[in-house]
Amino acid sequence: MSQEAPVLDLRGASFGYGDRPVVSGADLRIRRGEIVAVVGPNGSGKSTLVKGVLGLNQLVAGSVRLFGIPSEDFHDRARVGYVPQRHTLSSSVRATAEEIVATGRLPRLGWFGRLRAIDRQIVARALEVVGLGDRATTEVGTLSGGQQRRVLIARALAGAPDVLIMDEPTAGVDAASQHVLADVLHRLVERDVTMVIVIHELGALASLLTRTISVDGGRIVFDGTPERFERERHLVHHDHDSHHHDDEMPTDIARVPRGPLDEPEVP
């Protein structure tokens, strides 16, 4: 039997906007069950890297494969769950947590697009997994920032993805909320969820990681265990004190140098 294809496989991949690469020559293979942190200084290309995997910006060179399938031929996008960086919900949103999470089932629905009993069960279980089962009927605009993050993680889980990609899930929330989010992610680890987490500060999430990738100047400059990263971080030119920005459009192109969640169970 051949070895299972990587969940994500980037070979010489360059991503950018128009003809301007922001990330260049990325070689990266992530296998099922890995929990990978993507770190790097302000504007280094972290978000561009994960958005490139998601097809949200242009593949300028190289190749991307998802589950062994070239990205241009991959159409089962529900297998890749995404929680974007700017993901607190406006106080003007008039929807319950349950309604928001239910939208995550849309890619899995049939022709009629109507929630079935099984879909409602999956939505309820996803809310339970993130610790918000008792807030299903609460309007999201009244929830705290940390709770809103968990609602949108539940929305991604409701699609039963094989890999979950999160961009800065702990940014802008207090220490207590970060620890709650870490507990949520630990539950997902127990369910063998593959995760790629763009993170500014490892903090409360450090203990669940199996691998750390550092991006600097548009290139992957480190790829190894979290323990090795801690030993060698002073050699990686990574500044944890800078604030992460979602926008990584290069202002000077010359500076850019030449890498299945089964349906959620009730805990």
Side-chain angles (χ1 to χ4, degrees), residues 56-262:
L56 298 177
N57 55 35
Q58 184 176 349
L59 177 64
V60 177
S63 67
V64 176
R65 286 179 171 265
L66 301 167
F67 310 100
I69 302 170
S71 58
E72 61 270 22
D73 298 324
F74 183 78
H75 303 298
D76 191 1
R77 291 288 167 180
R79 297 185 70 184
V80 183
Y82 177 49
V83 182
Q85 179 190 3
R86 292 173 182 166
H87 57 288
T88 50
L89 295 161
S90 168
S91 59
S92 64
V93 173
R94 301 301 298 269
T96 66
E98 183 178 50
E99 289 168 340
I100 294 294
V101 175
T103 65
R105 287 301 297 167
L106 294 178
R108 298 292 190 184
L109 300 183
W111 285 104
F112 296 105
R114 300 178 68 108
L115 289 178
R116 302 155 297 178
I118 185 62
D119 298 307
R120 297 189 186 282
Q121 290 174 10
I122 292 168
V123 167
R125 290 170 184 169
L127 281 165
E128 291 285 349
V129 168
V130 302
L132 292 174
D134 61 341
R135 298 299 183 97
T137 59
T138 302
E139 286 197 4
V140 291
T142 67
L143 298 176
S144 70
Q147 289 170 328
Q148 291 183 17
R149 304 284 173 101
R150 287 188 277 151
V151 167
L152 292 181
I153 291 173
R155 181 178 69 177
L157 292 178
D162 292 311
V163 58
L164 185 60
I165 297 177
M166 290 175 280
D167 197 349
E168 294 285 359
T170 62
V173 298
D174 59 30
S177 293
Q178 290 188 27
H179 281 285
V180 172
L181 282 166
D183 288 342
V184 168
L185 299 187
H186 274 288
R187 291 179 210 165
L188 301 184
V189 170
E190 293 170 0
R191 288 164 173 76
D192 198 30
V193 181
T194 305
M195 287 185 273
V196 180
I197 308 168
V198 175
I199 193 78
H200 168 63
E201 181 61 56
L202 298 181
L205 303 186
S207 63
L208 64 86
L209 301 174
T210 62
R211 187 170 164 197
T212 301
I213 292 164
S214 184
V215 181
D216 198 359
R219 285 192 176 273
I220 295 175
V221 296
F222 177 90
D223 183 352
T225 65
E227 295 77 17
R228 185 174 146 228
F229 178 72
E230 287 303 315
R231 291 195 305 268
E232 300 180 11
R233 62 190 300 171
H234 63 289
L235 303 174
V236 179
H237 308 296
H238 177 66
D239 178 10
H240 270 302
D241 296 326
S242 62
H243 181 70
H244 176 85
H245 289 282
D246 187 51
D247 297 323
E248 290 169 332
M249 287 283 289
T251 55
D252 178 4
I253 193 62
R255 68 177 286 274
V256 179
R258 322 354 115 219
L261 173 64
D262 292 328

Side-chain angles (χ1 to χ4, degrees), residues 30-42:
I30 296 175
R31 297 197 174 274
R32 182 185 297 277
E34 288 195 279
I35 314 299
V36 181
V38 181
V39 300
N42 173 27

